[in-house]
Amino acid sequence: MPPAEFFVRLQHGITGGFAPPTPNAIFTIASTPTLPHLQVTTAVRPHGTPALQAAVPKELALDDGNQALVDELSRILESIPVESPPGSEDIYGLDTSIVFATDKWQWQNGGPAGCGGGTSSVQATDEDKIKFVRAVEIVKKLVGHEGEL
């Protein structure tokens, strides 16, 4: 079980190159020991528009079902690799990054500024890619965004 305090950020739109990536969606989930719920924000860029919509905050109960999803997300991310060096290559091929941070550990793919077009010395296996797809599904379910990114 992850600690009572954690932060998750999913960004769709991480591949760039000469220009930085343009995100299509950014979802965040935060938990603090002083609050009985998760704090969630979603910001999506509608197709054909130049910018993300303003982040929409909401609260999500940290009930058994949601806690089980957070626990599953934590286990998945602990079991799959990240690219090396950070930000070199989108090894999962989804143009999506996830940051999961607690006071004990952190997992992040995609680098702080996205993926810039290098080659990673670490590659994801087909099994790793399936697990990453599930991790993305979990975050989308928690924030209430079941559609395409």
Side-chain angles (χ1 to χ4, degrees):
M1 173 192 282
E5 191 167 359
F6 67 90
F7 174 80
V8 178
R9 180 178 190 270
L10 181 145
Q11 176 176 323
H12 183 269
I14 64 166
T15 54
F18 180 73
T22 303
N24 294 321
I26 298 175
F27 306 133
T28 64
I29 304 167
S31 171
T32 60
T34 58
L35 296 174
H37 57 269
L38 300 174
Q39 298 167 299
V40 174
T41 60
T42 61
V44 178
R45 182 171 60 93
H47 293 289
T49 60
L52 290 169
Q53 296 173 335
V56 178
K58 68 178 185 177
E59 296 175 355
L60 178 67
L62 190 54
D63 59 20
D64 290 343
N66 290 333
Q67 183 64 55
L69 289 171
V70 171
D71 293 346
E72 181 183 359
L73 176 64
S74 176
R75 284 190 307 274
I76 289 170
L77 296 178
E78 285 183 295
S79 74
I80 60 176
V82 296
E83 74 280 354
S84 181
S88 58
E89 181 180 1
D90 179 11
I91 65 173
Y92 294 102
L94 294 180
D95 196 20
T96 301
S97 70
I98 296 176
V99 175
F100 188 100
T102 72
D103 60 342
K104 305 248 187 269
W105 66 279
Q106 179 174 327
W107 188 96
Q108 176 178 351
N109 71 308
C115 290
T119 300
S120 173
S121 63
V122 175
Q123 294 296 314
T125 65
D126 289 342
E127 181 180 334
D128 294 333
K129 290 176 182 181
I130 290 167
K131 288 179 180 180
F132 187 75
V133 166
R134 175 63 183 149
V136 170
E137 289 171 352
I138 290 170
V139 174
K140 287 171 48 180
K141 182 173 181 124
L142 286 167
V143 302
H145 185 90
E146 300 291 331
E148 291 293 314
L149 295 175

